[in-house]
Amino acid sequence: MSTIFQDLVDTLRKSTLHFADTKKLMNTLNIIVTIKQVPDTAEVRIDPKTNSLMREGVPSIINPEDRNALEAALALREAHDGTVTALSMGPPQARDALEEALCMGADLAVLLSDRAFAGADTLITAFTLSRAIMKIAKYDLILCGRQAIDGDTAQVGPQIAGFLDLPQVTYAEGLELKKGGSLIVQRGLEDSNQWVQVKLPALITVTGRINHPRYPNLYNVADSCDDAKIKIWTAKDLQLPQAMLGLGASPTTVKKIFEPDRKMKGEMIPGDERQMAEALITKLKEMHVI
Amino acid sequence: MIQLVPEKCIGCKLCVKACLFGGIAVDGKVPRLTDSCTGCGACVDVCRVEAIIASGEKTGPVCDFAAYKGIWVFAEQHAGKLHSVTLELLGKARELADARSAEVTAVLLGSGIAALDGELFRHGADRVLLTDAPFLANYRTAPYERIVARLICEHKPEVILIGATTTGRDLAPRLANRLRTGLTADCTGLEIGPEGGLLQTRPAFGGNIMATIATPNHRPQMATVRPGVMQARLFENKKGETVRIAVSEEPGDGLVQILKTLAREKSSVSLEKAEVIVSGGRGMGEPKNFKLLENLAGLLSGEVGASRAAVDLGWMPHDHQVGQTGKTVKPRIYIACGISGAVQHLAGMQSSDIIIAINRDPAAPIFQAATFGMVGDALKIIPELISQLNANT
Ligand SMILES: Cc1cc2nc3c(=O)[nH]c(=O)nc-3n(C[C@H](O)[C@H](O)[C@H](O)COP(=O)(O)OP(=O)(O)OC[C@H]3O[C@@H](n4cnc5c(N)ncnc54)[C@H](O)[C@@H]3O)c2cc1C
Ligand SMILES: Cc1cc2nc3c(=O)[nH]c(=O)nc-3n(C[C@H](O)[C@H](O)[C@H](O)COP(=O)(O)OP(=O)(O)OC[C@H]3O[C@@H](n4cnc5c(N)ncnc54)[C@H](O)[C@@H]3O)c2cc1C
């Protein structure tokens, strides 16, 4: 057992959790859930002066599909025993997201927070997260949201799997653990459902259709948000040089950000229902579209 | 600039482990930089014997850009039928290749699919790299990743385009990871910039903003594009060269096994291909009112779409949902009935040719996106449209 994991187990023991027996813990399912703190997208605006994103005052939430991933992890833990560790990379305030994850029932949380991590694209985000996962060392299953609502790329999950050389299953809408350490995963594809079997350890990305996440247990706030349960790791803890991190190491560069071209304000058709219908049909005929 | 001092190397390979890009190799006790070195200096930091030293400023890549040529398209097919996005990407690839005086290559994997090459040529490909083997019949991450990555390393394309389908979004990030290069998701615009690099424009933040992204120091440059965004082109008599590639199955391919695939019920709706879409939102009031939309769509030979609110309420199945987490559509006519026009909805339909909005609220944001707007009760306007269209024919 790696020292870091011993560390986590110790933390677990000290907390009020019900795992008295470390051995038992080792024989059960250890799950890592990646959690991204995101702005509530609909409200993000561009500052017309600086042409950059205005995030101040925009409420932050746990990325919706990460909530689904966490729910799936908690359900598996409840059925089979084990641990759920929430892992996030972000600025110090991403701690709020992890506190919420703990209130939902995660056992432990790790926040990767360091200026050196800032500006990472998906490759470098996945690289940094995967190094943290290697440090956590003991895991059977990694669950990610399919897609974050801000960056919107759906690339981080598969890229983590790539760095850890794990099999991946994307677009999961159902999970079932089989004896012998494999999972049956139901995937939602464009116009079909697919069932696959994957041997653990593996990485799964889940969609919002997999479950209905529970609400954080607010009665447990004080207990769950016990400081000891959130580890904060920096670049130094991961033993990574600046050159491999953040904006500088990222192969993609955002050159320009701008407001989408909204179609010109449309022509309003006046009149009562009958007149409107008549005018519209005439216009569509004139344009030869009907 | 990274400099190697081979005499000092002890062959510990710490540098190889530290390198994110596969930019350094050590054979015995002889270190050597590969094409993938970005000059980042990570190896310098870990070397304990000063066999690697950095001189001067960070210089950027030693990657030989001139070695990377041609535009590639991953030719997605299912059950022997090319996905529409493949043909659309070929249309774009042709344009980019012409701008770079380069060739378009389609990479086609599957089983019993050799005959598809003609269709790829007619849509713009100059060359097809064909791997035809029974174990590739259904898409699985591991073998597809392994084979496509190998071809990329061997042939060094400058640009790779992949459809942003469930298959493409499973494959593309794994490839970019293996190649340690940049990948831009869901591009709506792709063009060659003044310096010859690919400028990739994409929506983010639920369609609230657009970003133009470049991959300045790495090759290949990779992008995914959603179906329906680019335009397929047809070159009637165009021919090309088909290169067959021999492949074999490997043990790792079996880590994920497909047990079964079942078509979803009501999957007959193909919004991406529809010329006309009549969509309803929460403003339709109740599920039975969607009958009106079906009637109108029927008269216009169209399909029925829905907002997420309508889908979440169970009024319509999910495969009818248009928007960020549903389908991206680009019909000639899109009629939005009782839909407010949230950015996540607009993200899926704003490139429709003609957008017609029917909404009770004159301030509804959908009117900002509409070509024609009608303020009023959808439950009255739609029956009126239906009866007039009926009378017309
Ligand atoms: C406008 C804009 C456009 C961008 N476009 C691109 C692009 O095309 N390509 C590119 O490589 N980068 C891009 N980036 C950078 C990218 O947004 C960041 O790298 C981001 O940290 C991760 O990408 P995502 O939000 O798309 O995550 P996704 O890949 O959509 O996230 C999937 C899942 O991965 C996990 N995850 C993601 N990030 C974290 C995290 N920080 N901590 C914990 N878990 C996490 C979550 O479980 C999440 O549900 C862009 C950034 C901006 C501002
Ligand atoms: C991450 C994320 C992803 C999302 N993805 C999607 C997506 O893919 N697709 C999507 O659609 N949404 C998506 N949404 C949800 C989106 O933000 C909106 O909530 C949703 O589009 C609203 O649906 P609506 O317009 O039907 O309902 P509402 O916003 O409630 O609008 C109903 C409209 O009907 C009008 N109305 C009421 N009665 C009548 C009448 N009798 N006649 C005419 N008009 C009437 C009202 O004036 C109102 O404008 C997403 C949200 C998030 C956060």
Side-chain angles (χ1 to χ4, degrees):
Chain A
M1 187 169 35
S2 84
T3 50
I4 297 99
F5 196 72
Q6 182 63 60
D7 223 39
L8 296 186
V9 171
D10 287 347
T11 317
L12 247 179
R13 275 207 178 131
K14 273 186 240 140
S15 68
T16 52
L17 286 157
H18 20 276
F19 300 111
D21 180 359
T22 324
K23 211 144 166 218
K24 184 176 164 212
L25 192 68
M26 297 293 96
N27 291 333
T28 51
L29 205 57
N30 296 302
I31 309 173
I32 297 174
V33 183
T34 54
I35 302 274
K36 186 180 185 192
Q37 191 184 46
V38 296
D40 218 344
T41 52
E43 299 179 42
V44 172
R45 292 285 173 268
I46 294 179
D47 184 334
K49 270 179 259 148
T50 60
N51 204 27
S52 62
L53 293 177
M54 299 195 296
R55 298 201 197 203
E56 292 86 57
V58 177
S60 288
I61 54 172
I62 292 183
N63 181 48
E65 287 181 334
D66 295 351
R67 243 177 225 289
N68 295 103
L70 181 55
E71 175 62 39
L74 295 171
L76 282 172
R77 185 193 67 191
E78 278 150 16
H80 304 279
D81 245 354
T83 62
V84 174
T85 303
L87 170 65
S88 186
M89 178 174 102
Q93 60 269 28
R95 193 189 164 89
D96 297 348
L98 290 178
E99 283 179 3
E100 194 174 336
L102 290 171
C103 290
M104 279 174 74
D107 302 302
L108 291 164
V110 176
L111 174 62
L112 308 181
S113 198
D114 192 320
R115 272 176 177 279
F117 298 148
D121 72 355
T122 60
L123 183 74
I124 300 302
T125 299
F127 170 69
T128 315
L129 290 169
S130 66
R131 285 300 171 109
I133 291 169
M134 285 159 83
K135 186 169 155 90
I136 295 171
K138 182 85 185 169
Y139 58 87
D140 305 296
L141 177 62
I142 300 169
L143 290 173
C144 307
R146 165 192 46 175
Q147 178 164 355
I149 59 172
D150 52 353
D152 266 352
T153 66
Q155 289 172 184
V156 172
Q159 301 235 41
I160 294 174
F163 280 115
L164 298 171
D165 209 8
L166 290 177
Q168 76 189 32
V169 182
T170 50
Y171 296 91
E173 297 190 348
L175 295 178
E176 190 191 332
L177 187 67
K178 287 277 164 202
K179 286 219 174 65
S182 64
L183 267 185
I184 308 272
V185 186
Q186 182 190 332
R187 305 179 68 208
L189 306 183
E190 277 84 359
D191 38 33
S192 59
N193 291 323
Q194 185 178 67
W195 284 262
V196 303
Q197 179 158 4
V198 59
K199 240 186 123 33
L200 299 182
L203 181 143
I204 316 281
T205 77
V206 312
T207 78
R209 300 176 72 75
I210 194 169
N211 53 33
H212 295 286
R214 68 194 62 187
Y215 290 101
N217 183 352
L218 296 174
Y219 296 107
N220 250 350
V221 176
D223 175 43
S224 305
C225 302
D226 178 356
D227 263 3
K229 288 199 209 163
I230 303 186
K231 302 241 152 211
I232 302 199
W233 289 347
T234 61
K236 206 159 150 243
D237 294 309
L238 298 181
Q239 297 185 320
L240 293 173
Q242 170 81 67
M244 301 175 78
L245 295 169
L247 189 65
S250 296
T252 64
T253 312
V254 177
K255 296 205 91 159
K256 185 171 79 174
I257 287 185
F258 53 99
E259 300 244 14
D261 214 11
R262 307 245 182 248
K263 277 224 169 78
M264 35 122 211
K265 189 160 162 60
E267 179 182 341
M268 300 304 277
I269 300 180
D272 64 19
E273 287 92 27
R274 201 185 51 77
Q275 291 162 332
M276 281 194 271
E278 210 172 85
L280 180 71
I281 290 170
T282 311
K283 283 191 192 298
L284 295 180
K285 281 195 174 147
E286 279 166 12
M287 296 170 83
H288 300 288
V289 290
I290 58 171
Chain B
M1 189 66 186
I2 306 294
Q3 276 183 348
L4 302 177
V5 191
E7 312 83 77
K8 291 197 177 169
C9 179
I10 53 167
C12 72
K13 296 202 169 103
L14 272 179
C15 52
V16 178
K17 287 202 192 97
C19 183
L20 189 49
F21 304 104
I24 190 162
V26 179
D27 312 311
K29 290 185 181 178
V30 185
R32 113 187 113 76
L33 297 179
T34 73
D35 275 359
S36 314
C37 172
T38 65
C40 75
C43 51
V44 178
D45 295 343
V46 295
C47 185
R48 288 176 302 196
V49 294
E50 295 178 329
I52 314 170
I53 48 179
S55 54
E57 286 291 285
K58 177 180 163 180
T59 51
V62 298
C63 166
D64 176 15
F65 279 18
Y68 289 81
K69 281 204 183 73
I71 315 291
W72 280 24
V73 169
F74 171 70
E76 180 173 344
Q77 59 83 27
H78 295 279
K81 216 178 155 300
L82 288 171
H83 193 292
S84 58
V85 77
T86 303
L87 308 179
E88 293 159 14
L89 289 178
L90 283 172
K92 189 61 183 185
R94 186 71 261 160
E95 182 192 315
L96 297 174
D98 291 346
R100 295 291 288 154
S101 314
E103 288 203 328
V104 174
T105 299
V107 185
L108 177 61
L109 281 72
S111 176
I113 35 101
L116 293 176
D117 59 354
E119 198 177 348
L120 295 168
F121 296 140
R122 282 194 300 282
H123 285 86
D126 299 306
R127 183 173 65 155
V128 173
L129 297 181
L130 170 73
T131 45
D132 197 332
F135 74 97
L136 299 174
N138 293 304
Y139 169 78
R140 284 178 300 161
T141 317
Y144 271 62
E145 177 198 345
R146 175 166 48 77
I147 292 166
V148 179
R150 201 195 80 201
L151 290 173
I152 294 169
C153 289
E154 211 170 289
H155 296 269
K156 299 194 189 319
E158 192 175 23
V159 171
I160 303 171
L161 306 180
I162 298 179
T165 57
T166 54
T167 296
R169 292 171 126 216
D170 189 88
L171 176 67
R174 289 294 291 232
L175 288 175
N177 178 278
R178 254 203 204 217
L179 302 160
R180 302 289 194 259
T181 191
L183 172 63
T184 307
D186 294 352
C187 299
T188 53
L190 291 170
E191 55 175 341
I192 301 294
E195 284 119 51
L198 187 66
L199 295 180
Q200 309 159 109
T201 298
R202 62 171 301 242
F205 289 84
N208 269 300
I209 63 156
M210 303 295 289
T212 300
I213 292 174
T215 306
N217 300 324
H218 296 74
R219 292 293 179 271
Q221 306 161 89
M222 296 184 62
T224 64
V225 178
R226 291 205 181 204
V229 171
M230 300 299 171
Q231 214 87 52
R233 288 162 68 192
L234 197 60
F235 306 87
E236 265 320 328
N237 297 311
K238 192 172 176 323
K239 301 227 163 15
E241 176 201 8
T242 301
V243 184
R244 279 181 176 269
I245 316 273
V247 290
S248 52
E249 201 161 4
E250 285 185 14
D253 297 352
L255 285 174
V256 178
Q257 276 177 294
I258 300 175
L259 303 176
K260 63 177 171 182
T261 308
L262 288 180
R264 250 195 307 273
E265 268 178 82
K266 290 211 177 183
S267 62
S268 57
V269 36
S270 178
L271 291 180
E272 289 98 332
K273 296 203 183 92
E275 295 260 316
V276 176
I277 296 175
V278 182
S279 269
R282 200 198 312 266
M284 291 306 291
E286 46 181 325
K288 72 171 170 48
N289 292 334
F290 272 76
K291 262 268 165 283
L292 285 175
L293 304 183
E294 274 165 35
N295 289 344
L296 180 58
L299 284 169
L300 298 169
S301 314
E303 298 274 3
V304 176
S307 73
R308 186 163 95 173
V311 170
D312 284 350
L313 287 163
W315 297 356
M316 286 300 278
H318 180 257
D319 47 2
H320 289 257
Q321 182 178 317
V322 172
Q324 187 193 335
T325 45
K327 304 252 165 91
T328 304
V329 299
K330 202 177 136 195
R332 269 149 51 93
I333 308 180
Y334 187 91
I335 310 183
C337 310
I339 294 177
S340 59
V343 280
Q344 294 91 352
H345 188 80
L346 296 180
M349 45 61 79
Q350 60 196 354
S351 47
S352 307
D353 292 346
I354 297 175
I355 296 171
I356 299 164
I358 306 177
N359 197 304
R360 218 164 43 181
D361 172 10
I366 189 75
F367 288 124
Q368 302 292 314
T371 328
F372 300 117
M374 290 179 277
V375 177
D377 187 347
L379 304 181
K380 291 193 181 135
I381 297 174
I382 298 165
E384 194 59 51
L385 280 168
I386 293 170
S387 75
Q388 292 193 23
L389 283 168
N390 268 325
N392 258 303
T393 46

